[in-house]
């Protein structure tokens, strides 16, 4: 039997261990240094050690004698191992275990060997333990042998493999161990052989360095421990029953006492006690040998297994395991770095707190680790946070005194979380805390109404909502409480009573703020009941409603309509002058079932509602209230319902009054010779607001408002003293007029000539907006800009899409002046510092909220302009002024600018690249104008341009083939820009923009190898021979850019010979056998490279770009040789890369002229050869030195590689 300290019947550890674990440091020693293991287990008296069990046991039966491999031979599964049977899962676990037990009774060594190989194979090991190994080797030696045969390179083993088969295998593996112990619990597990061998094997495997062994054996050992806990629990129950029977028999009078029964019960209790001691020794060995070491394993899955199982032990056998000696491991592991392990800790504790009896025994643990549990509600893993909140809810149910007010408040605010599962869990906690306690005085209260129990609970909800000062989202609060408190939130009758009924004697009435909060909560509850989905920001995707949910939705909507059709006019009458309440109340009708007005004979209440809406719009000028009135009319005036005529008449009467009043006021307001006073301006503005709000949802074309409002706008431009708000709402109303007119023309419901009228009105209005865009009032300019962007987008060429070619006369494209005005507005109003935005606060305190609101407004303006770029309304190169601000305003607008770059690249890669380089050139010119001609590349301005280029380069992605043409064109434009302006210091000095090549080098890594050579050749066309030989600091941009164009792994030495690119390499063929074997470029591949070059070159030629094009007749790229190795007299100009380009007929204004073109045409060939002869001696020494150094490097590399190959062989 396993050597372990004798345990007491109540399953307590030794006195030494008990004193260590029950001390004040139980929860302070996460390393568990005092825990003792049971790995080197020696045998108890008269029992063999595990390693000696099979020794001297006599001859063993062959595996095939009587039974194959220790299990059944049915259903064609002969000669299959135990692992294969369990993996297939075709046989019931019970029958597999029964067959193994039968084989064990016949020959326990053969059966046990089969079981050992089962655990080895479940770990993914291909090796197997032979009978000889089992007889002659210790467990440690067997494990070492199996480790040597284990192939861990794949990293996969049965417990980690994906797929339904392996998921089922894990379940079958655990079930097999549980059933095996259950079937052996009455005899075999006490034979001092099977369990000793299994525990010793699993303990040794759990200490292996091989993850698969450690993981599989830990799972097996923990499941074995759980099965033994069940056995121990059964033994404990039997012992208690036997003890009661013994006591009952002994308490009988002597005459009736059966002594033989007493002796039998006493003997049975003794046997049970011995079995209990043996089981506890086994559990002690597993706990100390496996759990104590593996609960802090480096693998998270192994730690999670340990914590999950110890939670099962404490729940199943609480008398033995539910104490601080075991709970401390769960407490320590709650600080684990992996969310999976923390989740298992919380789940284990939930299983304990579900029972009030067990929860009462966790007082000390809760006091020690309560703060950690509360902090886990903010865990970065959402699943852990959800379960932590549920655990606190269980703690709250077990005892109200454990959690303090501060602990509860840390959970309360989570009802406003954007993550719905967290919010719902927090809502359940809040509901349990605030609404679940009922006193005896509340039992006799009515079920509905102001004096009902729900009335008090609704007030509590309102108080909580108001106390959450940092959160003003009533929809989030309602959604959090919906699953646990929907019955309370659907008690709209009580809510209406709280708003309309007078308070009873002694009852405190609701304040104005509380009534406003109650109206908002009531509206949110109505929306939740009718829409049946979470609010915006919490949506978890579309969910199909079940039949039961649909029926509940229809029933709720019917109740809402019947209840609020009567109550809503009364509520509007009571709160008619309150903006917040009226705005929310007017949103309720859109959730009505309008048929009920007719079927329920509620027409008089509909008339009352329409009268109240008229009263509200007459008394209010707030835009939110007016828009709510307009939306309500729009919903009620649905032609599908019978109430349409009634609503339409009321709406027409209202609009007639508004338009007549506006025309009358406008005539008085625009009378010549009279200066309008403030009262007249206020009357015009209030009426204009109402017309604009109703025009948003209703077609007012028949009132022909365009002429009068256009006249008002024109007068404002002429006089320049028009009030700001009148202009803003006039522009908005005219915008609505244009859009409604367009809708009629698009539908084909317009009459002849309407399209011409619309075109004239639209163009006149755009011109008006452009004139206001050049004004001085920022608010008016913002409104004009927004409307212009919308109109340009709507009336762009895309208006003809979807078969609407008849709308072609309406297409309107901005001219250069309008485009310039739009761009200037963006630069002046959007790309500004926060402190410079004087319009953001409107005279109010410049607090954080106003800054955020101003930033949001500027982001909308920038997005409106960027849409014009992405939809080809304005030229793509106009985005350069936006793209250049990418780094400076990255925090504010980085996402918008990046998305714009992405969209433009999808439209035209080459044009997008040209725009990016144009933005860099613009910044470079601005830097020159500020700092002068002498560019210091260490300045912050230059570093900023280079960093912006690096960011631009990253946006091209990793696929160089897709962006090949765009990157090449970017380099072409950048090279031309660098050599465009000559040096102001005269000849011999670098060009003015030469430093731009340093910026351009950020894009060199995006070029393909063959494109680098082509770009380098194009660069040489702009260089003179003096430039190639310069090494001063002012020429470093050119040097670094040329170096960046050297293809990676290419050992070519590039030289510049008046446009001729040659290969300066003097390496012999013997110096590069290694590189030649690795990488060969045959003639066919070289030809394909040249063809690839032709793709993007020819595309640029098709675009009629005057430079950097292939000639019409394509030639293969010639192999380059150094001028040192090649006779200058044999070199022809057409051998060079120059022949691959069609040279421009005219040079750029300040472009240096290569020497070849400086010669006379009739001396062309001779001039080239004379030039080669002249410069060859200048380059010979340098090229020879470089070639010699290169040869040495290659030789060293070859020798090193040869040495490595010899060592490998």
């Amino acid at each position: 039997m396993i050597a372990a300290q004798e345990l007491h019947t109540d399953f307590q550890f030794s006195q030494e261990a008990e004193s260590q674990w029950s001390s004040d440091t139980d929860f302070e020693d996460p390393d568990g240094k005092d825990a003792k293991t049971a790995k080197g287990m020696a045998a108890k008296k008269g029992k063999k050690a595990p390693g000696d069990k099979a020794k001297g046991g006599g001859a063993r039966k062959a595996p095939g004698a009587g039974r194959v491999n220790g299990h059944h031979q049915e259903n064609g599964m002969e000669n299959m191992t135990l692992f294969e049977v369990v993996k297939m899962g075709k046989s019931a676990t019970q029958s597999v275990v029964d067959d193994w037990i039968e084989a064990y009774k016949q020959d326990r060594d053969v059966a046990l060997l089969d079981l050992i190989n089962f655990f080895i194979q479940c770990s993914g090991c291909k090796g197997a333990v032979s009978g000889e190994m089992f007889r002659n080797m210790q467990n440690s030696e067997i494990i070492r042998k199996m480790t040597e045969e284990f192939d861990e390179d794949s990293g996969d083993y049965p417990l980690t493999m994906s797929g339904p088969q392996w998921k089922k295998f894990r379940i079958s593996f655990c079930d097999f161990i549980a059933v095996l112990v259950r079937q052996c619990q009455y005899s075999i597990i006490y034979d001092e052989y099977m369990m000793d061998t299994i525990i010793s094997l699993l303990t040794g495997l759990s200490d292996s360095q091989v993850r698969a062994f450690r993981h599989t054996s830990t799972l097996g050992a923990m499941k074995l421990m759980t099965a033994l806990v069940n056995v121990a629990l059964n033994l404990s129950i039997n012992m208690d029953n036997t003890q009661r029977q013994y006591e009952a028999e002994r308490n009988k009078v002597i005459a009736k006492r059966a002594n033989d029964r007493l002796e039998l019960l006493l003997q049975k209790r003794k046997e049970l006690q011995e079995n209990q001691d043996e089981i506890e020794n086994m559990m002690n060995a597993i706990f100390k040998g496996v759990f104590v070491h593996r609960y802090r394993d480096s693998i998270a899955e192994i730690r999670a297994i340990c914590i999950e199982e110890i939670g099962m032990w404490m729940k199943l056998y609480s008398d033995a395991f539910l104490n601080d000696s075991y709970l401390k491991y769960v407490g320590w592991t709650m600080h684990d770095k992996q969310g999976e392990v923390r989740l298992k800790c919380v789940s284990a504790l939930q299983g304990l707190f579900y029972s009030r009896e067990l929860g009462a025994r966790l007082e000390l643990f809760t006091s020690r680790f309560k703060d950690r549990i509360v902090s886990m509600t903010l865990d970065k893993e959402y699943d852990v946070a959800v379960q932590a909140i549920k655990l606190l809810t269980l703690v709250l149910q077990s005892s109200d005194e454990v959690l303090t007010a501060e602990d509860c408040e840390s959970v309360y605010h989570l009802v406003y979380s954007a993550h719905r599962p967290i919010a719902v869990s927090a809502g359940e906690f809040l509901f349990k805390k605030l609404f679940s306690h009922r006193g005896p005085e509340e039992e006799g209260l009515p079920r509905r109404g102001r004096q009902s129990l729900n009335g008090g609970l609704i007030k509590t909800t309102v108080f909580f909502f108001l106390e959450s000062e940092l959160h003003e989202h009533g929809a989030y609060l309602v959604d959090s409480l919906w699953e646990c408190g929907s019955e309370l939130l659907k008690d709209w009758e009580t809510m209406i009573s709280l708003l309309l009924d007078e308070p009873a004697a002694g009852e405190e009435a609701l304040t104005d703020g509380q009534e406003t909060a109650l109206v908002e909560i009531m509206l949110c509850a109505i929306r939740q009941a009718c829409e049946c989905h979470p609010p915006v920001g919490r949506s978890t995707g579309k969910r199909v409603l079940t039949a039961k949910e649909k029926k509940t939705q229809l029933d709720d909507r019917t109740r809402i309509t019947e209840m609020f059709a009567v109550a809503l006019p009364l509520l509007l009458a009571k709160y008619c002058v309150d903006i917040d309440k009226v705005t929310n109340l007017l949103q309720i009708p859109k959730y009505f079932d309008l048929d009920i007005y007719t079927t329920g004979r509620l027409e008089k209440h509909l008339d009352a509602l329409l009268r109240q809406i008229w009263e509200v719009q007459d008394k209010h000028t707030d835009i939110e209230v007016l828009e709510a009135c307009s939306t309500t009319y729009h919903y009620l005036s649905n032609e599908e319902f019978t109430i349409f005529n009634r609503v339409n008449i009321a709406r027409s009467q209202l609009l007639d009054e508004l338009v007549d009043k506006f025309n009358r006021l406008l005539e008085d307001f625009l009378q010549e010779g009279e200066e309008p006073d403030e009262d007249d301006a206020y009357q015009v503005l209030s009426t204009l607001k109402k017309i604009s709000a109703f025009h948003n949802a209703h077609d007012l074309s028949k009132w022909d408002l365009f002429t009068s409002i256009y006249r008002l706008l024109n007068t404002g431009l002429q006089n320049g003293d028009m009030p700001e708000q009148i202009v803003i709402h006039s522009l908005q109303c005219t915008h609505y007029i244009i859009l409604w007119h367009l809708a009629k023309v698009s539908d084909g419901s317009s009459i002849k000539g309407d399209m011409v009228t619309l075109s004239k009105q639209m163009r006149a209005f755009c011109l008006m907006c452009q004139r206001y865009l050049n004004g001085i009032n920022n608010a008016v300019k913002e409104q004009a800009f927004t409307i212009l962007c919308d109109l340009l987008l709507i009336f762009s060429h895309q208006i003809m899409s979807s078969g609407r070619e008849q709308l072609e006369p309406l297409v309107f494209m901005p001219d250069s002046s309008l485009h310039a005005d739009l761009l200037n507005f963006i630069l002046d109003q959007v790309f500004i510092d926060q402190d410079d935005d004087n319009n953001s606060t409107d005279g109010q305190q410049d607090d954080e909220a106003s800054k955020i609101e101003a930033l949001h407004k500027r982001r909308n303006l920038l997005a409106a302009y960027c849409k014009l770029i992405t939809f080809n309304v304005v030229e793509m190169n106009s985005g350069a002024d936006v793209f250049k601000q990418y780094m400076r305003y990255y925090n504010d607008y980085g996402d918008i600018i990046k998305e714009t770059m992405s969209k433009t690249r999808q439209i035209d890669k080459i044009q997008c690249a040209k725009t990016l380089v144009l933005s860099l050139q613009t910044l470079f010119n601005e830097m020159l104008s500020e700092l002068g001609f002498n560019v210091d590349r260490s300045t912050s301005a230059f570093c900023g341009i280079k960093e912006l280029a690096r960011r631009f380069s990253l946006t091209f992605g990793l696929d160089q083939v897709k962006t090949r043409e765009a990157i090449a064109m970017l380099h072409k434009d950048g090279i031309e820009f660098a050599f465009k302006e000559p040096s102001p210091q005269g000849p011999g000095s670098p060009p003015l923009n030469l430093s731009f090549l340093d910026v351009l080098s950020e894009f060199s890594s995006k070029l393909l190898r063959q494109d680098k050579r082509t770009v380098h050749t194009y660069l040489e066309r702009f260089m003179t021979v003096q430039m190639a030989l310069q090494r001063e600091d002012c020429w470093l941009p050119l040097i670094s850019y040329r170096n960046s164009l050297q293809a990676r792994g290419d050992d070519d030495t590039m030289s510049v010979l008046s446009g001729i690119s040659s290969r300066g390499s003097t390496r012999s063929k013997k110096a590069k056998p290694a590189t030649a074997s690795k990488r060969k470029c045959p003639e066919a591949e070289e030809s394909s490279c040249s063809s690839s070059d032709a793709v993007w070159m020819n595309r640029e030629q098709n675009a009629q770009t005057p430079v950097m094009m292939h000639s019409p007749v394509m030639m293969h790229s010639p192999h380059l040789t150094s001028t040192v190795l090649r006779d200058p007299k044999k070199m022809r100009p057409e051998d060079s890369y120059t022949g691959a380009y069609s040279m421009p007929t005219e040079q750029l204004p300040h472009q240096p002229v290569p020497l070849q073109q400086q010669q006379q045409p009739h001396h062309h060939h001779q001039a080239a050869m004379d030039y080669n002869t002249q410069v060859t001696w200048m380059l010979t020494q340098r090229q020879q030195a470089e070639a010699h150094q290169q040869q040495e490097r290659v030789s060293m590399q070859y020798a090193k590689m040869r040495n490595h190959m010899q060592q490998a062989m």
Side-chain angles (χ1 to χ4, degrees), residues 19-235:
S19 63
Q20 292 170 349
W21 287 355
S22 60
S23 64
D24 291 338
T25 62
D26 280 353
F27 300 102
E28 310 296 337
D29 183 22
D31 293 332
K33 295 179 180 178
D34 297 330
K36 298 183 178 180
T37 65
K39 292 181 181 177
M41 296 180 292
K44 293 173 64 177
K45 291 183 179 181
K47 300 176 184 178
K48 294 182 180 180
D52 300 325
K53 293 165 189 160
K55 296 181 181 179
R60 299 176 57 193
K61 293 183 180 180
R67 183 178 179 275
V68 179
N69 289 334
H71 55 78
H72 57 83
Q73 306 176 28
E74 299 175 2
N75 299 327
M77 289 187 288
E78 298 86 354
N79 300 323
M80 293 179 62
T81 63
L82 188 60
F83 166 74
E84 292 171 340
V85 174
V86 174
K87 184 181 74 172
M88 290 180 62
K90 293 183 178 180
S91 301
T93 306
Q94 183 77 35
S95 62
V96 176
V97 171
D98 290 342
D99 290 341
W100 184 88
I101 292 175
E102 185 65 27
Y104 184 82
K105 292 178 179 178
Q106 295 177 8
D107 188 335
R108 65 180 188 176
D109 287 341
V110 174
L112 201 54
L113 181 61
D114 195 14
L115 187 60
I116 290 174
N117 281 319
F118 168 73
F119 286 110
I120 296 296
Q121 293 172 354
C122 285
S123 301
C125 181
K126 304 302 181 184
V129 180
S130 63
E132 183 179 357
M133 294 170 59
F134 181 70
R135 288 191 300 270
N136 302 324
M137 297 174 66
Q138 298 287 339
N139 277 343
S140 58
E141 297 173 347
I142 294 175
I143 294 172
R144 189 180 305 111
K145 180 69 174 175
M146 292 298 101
T147 302
E148 293 174 357
E149 298 182 8
F150 194 92
D151 180 17
E152 202 179 11
D153 293 339
S154 63
D156 290 333
Y157 49 94
L159 293 184
T160 60
M161 289 183 182
S162 59
Q165 178 187 8
W166 296 111
K167 290 182 179 179
K168 186 177 180 181
F169 168 76
R170 182 188 178 103
I171 299 173
S172 301
F173 175 78
C174 299
D175 290 343
F176 175 80
I177 295 175
V179 174
L180 177 65
V181 174
R182 187 175 70 239
Q183 294 299 102
C184 299
Q185 64 178 321
Y186 298 110
S187 59
I188 296 180
I189 63 173
Y190 306 111
D191 67 356
E192 304 178 1
Y193 185 57
M194 185 195 81
M195 292 301 296
D196 288 5
T197 305
I198 294 176
I199 293 175
S200 297
L201 175 69
L202 294 178
T203 302
L205 288 175
S206 69
D207 199 35
S208 172
Q209 295 296 324
V210 180
R211 170 177 173 170
F213 279 152
R214 206 165 66 251
H215 188 181
T216 307
S217 60
T218 301
L219 177 61
M222 294 300 99
K223 292 298 180 181
L224 183 64
M225 178 81 165
T226 303
L228 290 175
V229 167
N230 283 310
V231 174
L233 180 61
N234 292 334
L235 289 174

Side-chain angles (χ1 to χ4, degrees), residues 499-519:
L499 291 172
L500 293 178
D501 296 348
E502 293 296 328
E507 181 185 0
E508 186 177 355
L510 295 176
T511 64
D512 180 69
Q514 292 169 354
E515 290 178 339
T516 303
L518 177 56
V519 171

Side-chain angles (χ1 to χ4, degrees), residues 10 28 59 74 237 260 278 315 372 417 452 524 532 570 634 677 767 825 841 847 947 1030 1055 1065 1075 1131 1182 1189 1200:
D10 57 353
E28 310 296 337
E74 299 175 2
I237 295 173
D260 55 347
E278 295 236 0
K315 184 178 179 181
R372 173 57 185 159
S417 172
S452 65
C524 294
C532 294
L570 302 177
H634 176 73
D677 55 13
L767 181 60
F825 175 83
T841 58
D847 55 2
E947 176 63 19
Q1030 296 294 338
S1055 64
S1065 176
T1075 56
M1131 180 177 289
R1182 180 170 61 87
Q1189 294 174 1
K1200 186 182 298 184

Side-chain angles (χ1 to χ4, degrees), residues 918-967:
L918 178 60
S919 65
L920 296 172
Q921 294 169 4
T922 305
L923 286 176
F924 190 85
N925 288 330
E926 292 175 358
M927 180 189 68
L928 290 181
S929 62
E930 293 178 4
L931 303 180
F933 298 146
N934 295 325
V935 178
D936 184 1
R937 293 185 298 146
S938 63
T939 60
S940 59
F942 187 85
C943 293
I945 299 175
K946 195 168 182 180
E947 176 63 19
L948 179 61
R950 188 184 70 83
R951 292 293 186 96
F952 284 168
S953 176
L954 294 176
T955 62
F956 282 94
L958 300 176
D959 193 343
Q960 293 178 313
V961 176
K962 288 184 178 180
T963 60
R964 181 182 183 184
E965 300 177 15
I967 292 293

